């Protein structure tokens, strides 16, 4: 009987197409919007990915990584003396205007790292060497930033150049020259600006006005000391705030600065609301279109269901037929929608805009919601069929 | 008496059936009594609204009357719950409807298989039996087509195949020919007679159509919710009011 139930569904091409469109559109919207949401949210803690250290220490008032509150230089010594600290290095991060070759300004993320340890240095350099940062007036720029700033560059002939900046090219930060000695590959940030790495001391010079320049301290625990445990000790001994640097969304610990940044954006911005609205919209559109279409499918077949009832099929059999029909449509609709979301996502990842991270969890959740839509549709149909009595077959 | 018990297929007595609210009540059956025997084709005739379809529904176990006793093949239907009635219909009944009621999105063969699949028969067995009976109703070659591609008479033949594929002891037909022209109606009745003939089977046909009365073994005439008389020969009926 279930095979016939499927044939009934597939026999009505127009309704099936409509049903699948509704379900696929709903799955697409939910999966795609969630993926962009998590993509954007992952950008909020980009510094945690690009600047690598096991433990971060900040001012006690700091709530998230993009909002540094300067520390005193003497704090470095206090942290170094905490039991279990192997070493601690200063880190400067700030947003500053850089003056490009064409005279226009561009907001950049300036990262000053310790010149002795290079703690926090980018993991991958596609051009140049990290050690060259010890040369005067030098910086390392990320690939995407180099391309962006290249559009504001000027060629030897004085005309605009459209090629990315290279090792050897220069620009200015607060009237001080910045000469590129390396190009690195890092993750893009929420704030959108290029990442420009330099040494901690030179960062001081680039931000001349600033009285204090120590944004964070990067700390390496001694062997055998767990980062979270070291965080406790640092907080107890210095009164500063200490964070772990885990960035894996489903596994990050309580103390992760990335996690706290994620939740800070969750509670303090409209991002979850606007994406949540889009996902809900997908859900409602799914319920509306699919529920409606499935309902009209059931209505159209109502007298046949009544006849099947009269011929001796119990409501149990009919309910299972409707579930088979609704869930089959749900399964195919989900497949189509998720497939489209993945295809669109591939294009987005290639272009880098907008950010797109389709975690398996997103697919599972979408799958569950689509099955939920199917379930609701089937139940509405079952209620309808259960209300028609078998005697009605002789009428009309 | 024991001989009679053996031959009686359907016996209803004192059946009352009302519709609507107590203030606004429509009486469909009023102390109706009815009897049909194994091996016969009995027709239920009478003016529109006299309760033919209602009585048929009571016998088929799709309607439960407010009063009266209904017995089909020795089984009492009054007092049975919905589930038991469903099981009863599944085992004992074949239906032919005025409007065919074939599922348009299924093939002819699939439509005919429905009663067997409801009984839980394997798909392949059901398919085979469906093909065999489709051949008997003269529609070989049309098995995989859709019912809508067939003429009315052909569709009713599919319905007859569906009604008989599981060899039910009781065949119930409500106005089987009224959607068909005269000649086709006669052919359909001939087919019902030929295919359903069996010493064990009872066929009850509700009809308005006096042109098919000749196919009946007996004719029960209804009036105002009860059987007024039963005749063996259609010529004895006054058909002017039908
Ligand atoms: N479900 C129902 N609700 C209300 N009234 C009903 C219902 N079914 C039948 N009736 C009424 O019961 C009476 C008998 O109806 P029934 O359908 O049995 O007549 P019939 O002899 O089959 O008529 P026809 O020849 O027109 O098919 C009619 O007055 C009809 O209006
Ligand atoms: Mg009727």
């Amino acid at each position: 009987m279930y095979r016939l139930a499927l044939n009934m569904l597939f026999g009505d091409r127009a309704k099936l197409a409509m049903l699948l469109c509704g379900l696929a559109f709903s799955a697409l919207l939910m999966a795609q919007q969630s993926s962009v949401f998590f993509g954007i949210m992952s950008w909020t803690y980009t510094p945690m990915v690009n600047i690598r250290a096991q433990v971060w220490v900040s001012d006690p008032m700091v709530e998230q990584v993009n909002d540094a509150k300067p520390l005193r230089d003497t704090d470095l010594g206090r942290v170094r003396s905490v039991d279990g600290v192997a070493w601690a290095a200063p880190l400067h991060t700030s947003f500053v205007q850089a003056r490009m070759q064409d005279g226009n300004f561009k907001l950049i993320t300036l990262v000053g790292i310790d010149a002795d340890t290079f703690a926090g240095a980018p993991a991958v350099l596609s051009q140049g060497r990290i050690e060259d940062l010890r040369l005067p007036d030098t910086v390392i720029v990320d690939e995407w930033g180099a391309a962006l700033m290249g559009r504001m560059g000027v060629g030897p002939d004085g005309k605009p150049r459209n090629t990315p900046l290279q090792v050897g090219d220069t620009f200015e930060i607060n009237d001080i020259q910045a000469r590129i000695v390396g190009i690195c590959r890092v993750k893009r940030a929420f704030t959108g600006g290029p990442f420009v790495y330099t040494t901690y001391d030179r960062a001081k010079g680039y931000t001349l006005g600033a009285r204090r320049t120590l944004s964070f301290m990067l700390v390496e625990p001694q062997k055998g000391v767990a980062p979270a445990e070291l965080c406790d000790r640092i907080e107890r001994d210095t009164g500063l705030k200490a964070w772990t640097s885990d960035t894996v969304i489903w596994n990050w610990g309580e103390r992760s600065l990335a996690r706290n940044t994620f939740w800070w954006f969750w509670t303090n911005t409209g991002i979850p609301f606007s994406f949540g609205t889009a996902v809900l919209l997908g859900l409602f559109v799914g319920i509306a279109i699919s529920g409606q279409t499935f309902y009209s499918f059931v209505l159209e077949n109502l007298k046949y269901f009544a006849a099947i009832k009269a011929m001796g099929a119990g409501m149990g059999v009919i309910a299972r037929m409707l579930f088979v029909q609704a869930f089959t449509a749900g399964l195919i609709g989900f497949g189509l929608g998720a497939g489209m979301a993945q295809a669109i996502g591939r294009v987005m990842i290639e272009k880098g805009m907008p950010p797109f991270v389709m975690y398996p969890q997103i697919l599972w959740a979408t799958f569950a919601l689509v099955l939920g839509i199917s379930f609701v549709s089937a139940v509405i149909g079952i209620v309808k069929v259960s209300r028609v009595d078998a005697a009605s077959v002789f009428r009309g | 008496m024991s001989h009679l018990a053996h031959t009686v297929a359907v016996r209803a007595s004192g059946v009352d059936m009302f519709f609507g609210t107590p203030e606004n009540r429509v009486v469909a059956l009023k102390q109706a009594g009815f009897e049909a025997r194994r091996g016969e084709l009995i027709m239920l005739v009478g003016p529109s609204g006299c309760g033919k379809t209602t009585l048929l529904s009571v016998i088929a176990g799709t309607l439960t009357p407010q009063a009266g006793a209904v017995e089909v093949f020795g089984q009492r239907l009054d007092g049975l719950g919905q589930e038991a009635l469903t099981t009863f219909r599944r085992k004992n009944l074949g239906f032919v409807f005025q409007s065919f009621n074939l599922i348009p999105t299924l093939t002819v063969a699939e439509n005919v298989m429905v009663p067997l699949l409801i009984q839980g028969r394997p798909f392949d067995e059901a398919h085979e039996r469906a093909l065999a009976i489709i051949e008997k109703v003269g529609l070989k070659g049309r098995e995989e087509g859709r019912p809508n591609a067939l003429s009315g008479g052909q569709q009713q033949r599919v319905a007859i195949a569906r009604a008989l594929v599981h060899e039910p002891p009781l065949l119930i037909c409500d106005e089987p020919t009224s959607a068909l022209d005269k000649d086709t109606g006669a052919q359909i009745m001939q087919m019902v007679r030929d295919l359903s003939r069996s010493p064990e089977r009872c066929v009850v046909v509700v009809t308005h159509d006096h042109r098919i009365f000749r196919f009946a073994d007996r004719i029960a005439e209804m009036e105002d919710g009860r059987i007024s008389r039963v005749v063996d020969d259609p010529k004895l009926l006054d058909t002017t009011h039908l």
Side-chain angles (χ1 to χ4, degrees), chain A residues 1 3-5 7-12 297 301 303-304 307-315 317 389-391 393-396, chain B residues 53 56-57 60 62-63 86 89-90 95-97 99 101-106 110 113-115 117-118 123-124 146 162 172 174:
Chain A
M1 216 50 213
R3 199 158 144 188
L4 290 201
N7 290 350
M8 275 173 85
L9 179 69
F10 289 121
D12 190 344
F297 168 77
N301 285 293
K303 63 178 199 171
Y304 308 118
I308 290 170
K309 253 171 124 170
M311 288 183 233
M315 249 342 269
V317 172
D389 67 70
V393 289
F394 293 116
R395 268 181 252 128
Chain B
T53 297
L56 200 65
S57 304
T62 58
L63 265 187
T86 302
R89 295 198 298 268
R90 181 159 66 228
F95 290 92
V96 176
F97 309 99
S99 55
N101 259 330
L102 299 171
I103 302 172
T105 45
L106 297 182
E110 285 167 343
M113 287 159 73
V114 167
L117 294 177
I118 290 175
F123 194 88
D124 291 338
R146 293 285 158 87
R162 178 176 66 182
I172 294 251
D174 193 25

Side-chain angles (χ1 to χ4, degrees), chain B residues 130-148:
Chain B
L131 295 188
I133 195 153
I134 289 168
E135 185 171 0
K136 276 197 200 164
V137 299
L139 288 173
K140 194 169 163 55
R142 311 305 291 264
E143 299 89 346
E144 302 309 320
R146 293 285 158 87
N148 289 346

Side-chain angles (χ1 to χ4, degrees), chain A residues 395, chain B residues 19-20 26-28 46-55 175 208:
Chain A
R395 268 181 252 128
Chain B
F19 293 104
V26 178
V27 179
S48 186
C50 67
K52 304 183 294 291
T53 297
T54 307
L55 181 58
E175 315 262 8
H208 268 106

